Amino acid sequence: DHVIVLGYGDLTEPILTELTEGDVPFVVIVPDQARAAELSDRGMNVITADPSDEEPLQRAQLADATAVVTATNNDAEDALAVLTARQLRPDVRIVAAATDRENVKKLKRAGADTVISPAAIGGHLLVESALGRGDTEDVAEKILEDEGTTESED
Amino acid sequence: DHVIVLGYGDLTEPILTELTEGDVPFVVIVPDQARAAELSDRGMNVITADPSDEEPLQRAQLADATAVVTATNNDAEDALAVLTARQLRPDVRIVAAATDRENVKKLKRAGADTVISPAAIGGHLLVESALGRGDTEDVAEKILEDEGTTESED
Ligand SMILES: [Ca+2]
Ligand SMILES: [Ca+2]
């Protein structure tokens, strides 16, 4: 009934914030000791290990997990982590973020159920806004607000 | 009637793709010579310079530009570029991407009209998907498809 977050990148803090605010139990597996200590000091469940190794995934109780999220800035590491998680548990939900849009298909082939490309979404919203089409911030805020997790709510 | 793209980061290729596919004229200002040469080889209008200097912005005809887009991986550089562009032209549309969500407000204060946080949007969509809420890829594809610029159209 918990979520396993693999690695640490630009998307990780927003992910951890959403999980915390949603009262969703989670474990983070990060290779960097300083980062692990910092997250642990903030009260999070942390395992200091390579997120694409089998042992830490088992220690994080992958067998009972609801989902695995992998969203580092390194798509190759994400792919390796997805392959490991999928091999250990064919039926767990795996979601991933492709830093490079071209890696969406590869991450799916590695076993991710859902892959999004924040850069593609962000680039699109920026260009729409630059050309004065629609209200980009409204679109962005609507996405963020649909579960009431944006800072602008009050 | 053109768009000026400042700097080069993870969001830049999606931005350049959208502008090219939309037949929107644009100029890219990048500090890195190798990157500038590569973009120029691909037929783009490129100025090799610091995107927060005044001179290249004037050379890129900021006076006649529709909009300025700044979306590097370094929010401090984005902020400096926004400040420069806003100072040179109080009425141009400026859009920016905050790599760190906490910098949204600072980039607005620097003068950006619209600031989005791709990491916040991406993190939110990933958590929604991890928890099995809604169809995240549908949401993501709907965003990308509303102007027909996604790869999945056919
Ligand atoms: Ca990634
Ligand atoms: Ca940025």
Side-chain angles (χ1 to χ4, degrees):
Chain A
D1 63 333
H2 61 295
V3 171
I4 303 177
V5 179
L6 301 181
Y8 192 95
D10 288 336
L11 272 82
T12 308
E13 286 298 334
I15 289 167
L16 300 180
T17 301
E18 300 248 348
L19 292 171
T20 302
E21 290 178 352
D23 284 324
V24 180
F26 64 89
V27 186
V28 192
I29 303 178
V30 287
D32 181 63
Q33 290 218 342
R35 177 69 65 193
E38 189 251 330
L39 295 174
S40 181
D41 285 349
R42 286 160 57 194
M44 299 181 192
N45 295 315
V46 183
I47 294 171
T48 312
D50 183 333
S52 52
D53 282 351
E54 295 187 11
E55 190 272 333
L57 277 165
Q58 278 160 341
R59 193 142 46 99
Q61 310 205 7
L62 176 61
D64 301 321
T66 305
V68 174
V69 179
T70 180
T72 72
N73 298 349
N74 185 327
D75 290 339
E77 286 176 14
D78 286 347
L80 207 58
V82 168
L83 287 163
T84 308
R86 179 56 72 217
Q87 181 178 306
L88 287 173
R89 219 185 122 199
D91 65 324
V92 73
R93 183 191 297 268
I94 302 178
V95 303
T99 305
D100 184 334
R101 175 158 56 166
E102 294 184 9
N103 292 325
V104 169
K105 283 176 190 165
K106 290 174 203 167
L107 286 163
K108 285 208 169 179
R109 205 166 301 144
D113 298 297
T114 301
V115 182
I116 65 160
S117 167
I121 295 170
H124 180 74
L125 293 174
L126 285 175
V127 169
E128 290 297 291
S129 178
L131 301 178
R133 291 184 196 145
D135 191 326
T136 299
E137 282 187 326
D138 271 7
V139 172
E141 272 173 23
K142 201 179 270 175
I143 296 168
L144 292 174
E145 269 167 7
D146 67 352
E147 299 293 323
T149 50
T150 179
E151 286 166 22
S152 66
E153 71 174 329
D154 50 13
Chain B
D1 63 332
H2 61 296
V3 171
I4 303 177
V5 179
L6 301 181
Y8 192 95
D10 288 336
L11 272 82
T12 308
E13 286 297 334
I15 289 167
L16 301 181
T17 301
E18 299 248 349
L19 292 171
T20 302
E21 289 178 354
D23 283 324
V24 181
F26 64 90
V27 185
V28 192
I29 303 178
V30 287
D32 181 63
Q33 289 217 343
R35 178 68 66 192
E38 189 251 328
L39 296 174
S40 180
D41 284 350
R42 286 160 58 192
M44 299 181 191
N45 295 316
V46 183
I47 294 172
T48 312
D50 184 333
S52 51
D53 282 350
E54 295 188 11
E55 189 272 335
L57 278 166
Q58 278 160 340
R59 193 142 48 99
Q61 311 207 3
L62 176 61
D64 302 320
T66 304
V68 173
V69 180
T70 180
T72 72
N73 298 349
N74 184 328
D75 289 339
E77 286 177 13
D78 286 346
L80 206 58
V82 168
L83 287 163
T84 308
R86 180 55 73 218
Q87 180 178 307
L88 287 172
R89 219 185 121 199
D91 64 324
V92 73
R93 182 190 297 270
I94 302 178
V95 302
T99 304
D100 185 335
R101 176 158 56 166
E102 294 183 9
N103 292 325
V104 169
K105 284 176 190 163
K106 291 174 203 167
L107 286 163
K108 285 208 171 181
R109 205 166 301 144
D113 299 297
T114 301
V115 182
I116 66 160
S117 167
I121 295 170
H124 179 75
L125 293 174
L126 285 175
V127 169
E128 290 297 290
S129 178
L131 301 178
R133 290 185 197 144
D135 191 325
T136 299
E137 283 188 324
D138 272 7
V139 172
E141 271 173 25
K142 201 179 268 174
I143 297 167
L144 292 173
E145 269 168 8
D146 67 353
E147 298 294 325
T149 50
T150 179
E151 287 167 21
S152 66
E153 71 174 330
D154 51 10

